[in-house]
Amino acid sequence: MNFLRGVMGGPSAGPQPSGAETIQKLCDRVASSTLLDDRRDAVRALKSLSKKYRLEVGIQAMEHLIHVLQTDRSDSEIIGYALDTLYNVISNDLEEEEQEENLPKQVDDLGSQFTEIFIKQQENVTLLLTLVEEFDFHVRWPGVKLLTSLLKQQGPQVQQIILVSPMGVSRLMDLLADSREVIRNDGVLLLQQLTKSNAAIQKIVAFENAFERLLDIITEEGNSDGGIVVEDCLLLLQNLLKNNNSNQNFFKEGSYIQRMKPWFEVGDDNCGWSAQKVTNLHLMLQLVRVLVSPTNPPGATSSCQKAMFHCGLLQQLCTILMATGVPADILTETINTVSEVIRGCQMNQDYFASVNAPSNPPRPAIVVLLMSMVNERQPFVLRCAVLYCFQCFLYKNQKGQGEIVSTLLPSTIDATGNSVSAGQLLCGGLFSTDSLSNWCAAVALAHALQENATLKEQLLRVQLATSIGNPPVSLLQQCTNILSQGSKVQTRVGLLMLLCTWLSNCSIAVTHFLHNPANVPFLTGQIAENLGEEEQLVQGLCALLLGISIYYNDNSLENYRKEKLKQLIEKRIGRENFIEKLGFISKHELYSRAAQKPQPSFSSPDHMMFDHEFTKLVKELEGVISKAIYKSSEEDKKEEEVKKTLEQHDNIVTHYKKVIREQDQELEELKQQINTLKSQNEQLQATVTQQVSQIQQHKDQYNLLKVQLGKDTQHHNSHGDTFQMNSIQTEEVSKLKEELEEWKTKHELLQGQLREKDSVIEKLKSSHLEVGTEQSSQTSKSGGLEHNNELQKELERLRSQIQLQSAEISQLQTENQKLQVMNATADPVLGHSSATAAQNSEWKGRLEQEIKELKSEVKALSEEKASLKEHLDSSSSTVAILQDEKSKLQQEVAESKKEQDDLLVLLADQDQKLSALKIKLKDLGVPVEDEDDIESGDQGDEDEDGDEEEQD
C-alpha cells in the first residue's frame, strides 16, 4: 500500500513520475509481488489508468494480466480487475470527454491490434470461455464484455476459435438463462456478435434452444412494448434466421411462428407509439419478412406462408394495415410484410382479396391501397410499398388477375358510380398529370396481364370515353395516343412497358396495335432519331415494342407482315442501329438495379423506371428479337412450319396424356370397387365365424342333454316289462338323436364347402388385381374360367345338398309328430298299475320336456340352415359380380394395350419427323434451341413411361 501511495500521487518532495513509468512500476509489482493483496492493488491501479493511458497499459501490462487470469483464478476480485483492464484496452467504447476529433480512426486500429495480440494465443480465448462459466458476477460480467469486444474487433478469427473449442458455443448459451438481467442482456449482445455471418455457429446456437429462450425473453419484456432488450433479441433472431434455410425450417417446425402473433396485437390508441415501440415493431415485421423472403427456397417460403395464415398472423397484420393512427414507417413496413406473406400463395391471396377497410360503405383493402398509390400527396415510400403489395397479390394468381381486369370490362362496370373499382383507379392513375402515378398504374396493370393470354385479349375490349361528343377509344389506342403526345420520360417508359407486356405472346393484341396506321411510323421515327441520353431509354423500349410486333406477328395484316416490317427497319433505321438501340435497355444502370429483387426500392421518384418482372421479359425477348430481325422470309416460313409441327406433336401428346389419365382414374375406381368387395367378404367371413361359434354352443348343449337322457334311459330300462311303451319311445328318441347327429355332420360338411367357396372367391379377387400386365392378363383369363366352372359346380352341389337336408328336416318333423301321437296313446296303458302311476307320470313329463327341447333344437338348426342358404345366395351373387368386373377389366386392359401401342407408334413417327425437321433446320444454319419444347417432350415421354410402368 505504501508503494501505491507513492505511485498514485501521494505527497513527495521529488518530481512526479510520468504515466509510463507508473505503469511500468505497477507491471513489475504484478509480476514480482508474492502477496495476493499487493498484486490485486496493482491490477486495480492499472484498471484506473487503462482508459487514460490505453496504449501504454496495453503494451506493457497485457502479458501480465493474462498471467493473472491463468494463476490467480481463486481470487475473483483480481480476476475481475484484470478482465476490466483488458476490456478498457481492447474496447473502442471510450468516454466522450476522452475522445478527440482525429482519434476515432486511430482508436479502431488500436483496438484491432490489441485484439490480434490477445487472440494470437488461442489458449487465451479458451481461458476466457472458462471464466465466463464462473457464476461470480465480478468475473462473469467483465468476461462477457471482453469477449464481446474481441468479437467486434476480430469477428471471424474469434468465431473460429470458439467454434473449435469444446462446448464453446454451449457455454455462451448458458448466459441467456442467467437470473441477473445485466449478464443476460449482455449475453444477448455477445451472441449477436458471435452469430454474424457464420452459418455453422448460427445452427449450433439455434439447436441449443435459442429460439425458445429468446421468445421467452421477448414475452417477459412485454413484446413490442418492451425496451432495448427486446430490440437486441430481435436482432439476434434476425442473425439466426436470415439466409439460413436450416434454421428457418427449424423455426417453422418448432411452431415458433405461432408465438409471433401476439407481437402484432396493437391497440387502437394513438398515443402508445413510443420511439422504442416503433423500432421493436419494425424489427418484428422484418423478422416475418426474413421467413417469407422471395430469395428463400420456394418450398420453405410456401410452408411459412401457410403457417402464418393458419395461426392468424396474416389476419393480425391486415388489422394493423387497416388500423388508424399507425405511424407512416410502420404502415409502410406492414404493407411490405403483407406483400411477401401473400406472394405466390393462393390461399393467402384469396384471404387478402376478402379483407375490407373499416369504412362506410366498406371497401376492399386493395381498392383503398390503390387509392394511396395514385395519390401524389402520399409519401413516395408508401406508394412504392402499395405497388409492391399489388404486384405480390397478382403474382401467380390468375384468379386475382381476372378480378382486376373484370372491373375494366364494359359488362361489369358499376353504372351508378357509387363505388370506385380497382380498374377505374388504375385507369385514372394511368392518364393523370402525375408521372409517378402514370408509371405505377402502368406497371400494376402490366402485372394484371402477366403470363395470361386470355386477359390480354379481354383487355382489348375496354373502351374509354375521352371527351363529350367524341366516340370512345380503346385502352390500347389511348396508351399509344399519350405516347405520341411527348409526355414525361417516366410516363412514356411506364406505358411502353405496359404495351410490351400486353403484346408479348399475344398475336391478336399485336394485330390490334398494328391496325392503327400511326403506330409503326411513330416507333420507327423514335428509334431513328439521335436523341440525348435521357431519351435513349425510350428509344430502346420503342425498339423492343417494334421487335415484339414482328416476332409475335401472325401476318394477318397484309401491309404489316413480318417481311415488310423488317424491310421498313432496314430502310429507315438499319438492322445494326436497331440492335444497338435495343441494347440500351439492358445496359442501363436502373435496369440492373431493378433486376436484383422483386421489391421496388428507389432512392428518388426520378429513378423509378424499370419493374423487376419486366426485366425478365426483356432478358427473354432481347435475343429472339435480334435473331428474328436477321431472318429471311424463307427461314420464317420454315420456322413457322416447324412451330406448327411441334404444336401438333404437343397436341397429340397432350391428347394421349389425357387418355392415359382417364384410364388411370378408371383403374383407381376398379381398385376401389375391389377393396369394397374385400371388405364385404371380410364381413361375411366374420358372420360365418359367429355362426360357427353358435353351432358349437348348440353342440355342447346337445351333448349335455344326451348325457342326461342316457342316465334316465338306464334307470327306466329296469322296468322293461312294465314300461313297454316307454321303451318304444326311447328307441324313437334315440333314432331322432342319430338323425340329428347325421344332420349336424352334414351341416359341418356344408360349412367346410362354404369355406372352400370363400377361398375360391379370394383367389378370384387376387387374379382380378393382377390383370395389369399382359402375361398376367392371359393367365387370369384361363384361371378365371376354371374358377367360374368350379364355382358353378360347387353352387349346384350345395343347392342339391340343401334340398336334401330340407327333405330330411321335414321327415324329422313328421316323425316328431308321430312320437307325440304315440305318447298320447301310451297314457291308458300306463294307468293299469296304480303302484307305478306316479313314476309313469313323472317319466312322461320329463320325456315331453326333452322332446320340446329337441323340437326347439331342430327349429334353431332349421333357421341356421335358412341363413346359410341366404349366405350362399349372396355369395353366388358376389361371384357373378366379380365375374362381370373381371370380364370388363380384361376388355379394358386389351383396349388400353391397343391404345398404348398406337400411341407408341404415333410418338415414334412424330419423333422421326421432329428429328428430320431439326436436321433440316441445322442444315439451313438455323440454331434449334427451343428448350421448353424439348423439356415438355421429355416430360411427356417420362409421363408415358411412368404410366406404362404403373399399368405393368
Side-chain angles (χ1 to χ4, degrees), residues 186-212:
D186 281 350
V188 173
L189 296 175
L190 169 60
L191 291 172
Q192 277 185 30
Q193 299 297 326
L194 180 65
T195 55
K196 276 186 179 179
S197 305
N198 193 309
I201 293 180
Q202 290 168 2
K203 291 179 183 179
I204 295 173
V205 171
F207 283 96
E208 288 284 347
N209 208 23
F211 293 139
E212 183 78 28

Side-chain angles (χ1 to χ4, degrees), residues 747-922:
H747 181 270
E748 291 177 356
L749 179 62
L750 184 62
Q751 286 291 118
Q753 293 173 351
L754 182 61
R755 283 193 292 272
E756 292 177 0
K757 177 190 69 65
D758 289 338
S759 65
V760 171
I761 292 174
E762 279 297 319
K763 291 179 181 178
L764 183 60
K765 288 180 182 178
S766 63
S767 65
H768 188 199
L769 290 173
E770 296 172 356
V771 172
T773 60
E774 297 179 12
Q775 296 177 354
S776 64
S777 172
Q778 296 174 357
T779 305
S780 64
K781 287 180 183 177
S782 58
L785 292 174
E786 294 175 0
H787 287 310
N788 289 338
N789 296 331
E790 292 177 1
L791 194 59
Q792 291 293 339
K793 292 178 181 179
E794 289 178 0
L795 286 174
E796 290 297 329
R797 188 167 63 249
L798 290 173
R799 288 195 183 99
S800 62
Q801 290 178 356
I802 289 172
Q803 291 176 359
L804 291 174
Q805 289 189 357
S806 299
E808 290 175 357
I809 290 172
S810 300
Q811 183 179 358
L812 288 172
Q813 290 176 349
T814 304
E815 292 178 355
N816 190 18
Q817 292 176 357
K818 290 180 180 180
L819 186 60
Q820 290 178 355
V821 172
M822 292 171 66
N823 288 335
T825 56
D827 287 339
V829 178
L830 296 173
H832 291 293
S833 177
S834 59
T836 60
Q839 294 180 355
N840 288 339
S841 62
E842 181 181 359
W843 166 249
K844 179 182 178 183
R846 292 174 63 182
L847 188 60
E848 288 177 352
Q849 181 66 27
E850 291 175 355
I851 291 172
K852 286 181 181 180
E853 290 178 356
L854 288 172
K855 286 181 181 180
S856 62
E857 183 74 20
V858 170
K859 184 178 180 181
L861 291 172
S862 300
E863 291 176 354
E864 288 180 4
K865 191 269 298 182
S867 65
L868 285 172
K869 184 177 180 182
E870 292 177 358
H871 178 65
L872 285 172
D873 294 337
S874 64
S875 299
S876 62
S877 64
T878 303
V879 170
I881 292 171
L882 286 174
Q883 288 175 346
D884 293 339
E885 291 293 335
K886 181 178 76 63
S887 61
K888 289 181 183 178
L889 189 58
Q890 289 172 350
Q891 183 178 359
E892 288 172 357
V893 168
E895 293 175 356
S896 175
K897 182 178 180 247
K898 183 178 179 182
E899 289 177 355
Q900 288 177 359
D901 293 336
D902 295 340
L903 174 61
L904 290 173
V905 173
L906 284 173
L907 288 177
D909 293 340
Q910 291 297 329
D911 288 337
Q912 291 177 358
K913 292 179 182 179
L914 183 61
S915 301
L917 289 172
K918 288 181 179 178
I919 292 171
K920 290 181 181 179
L921 286 176
K922 289 181 179 178

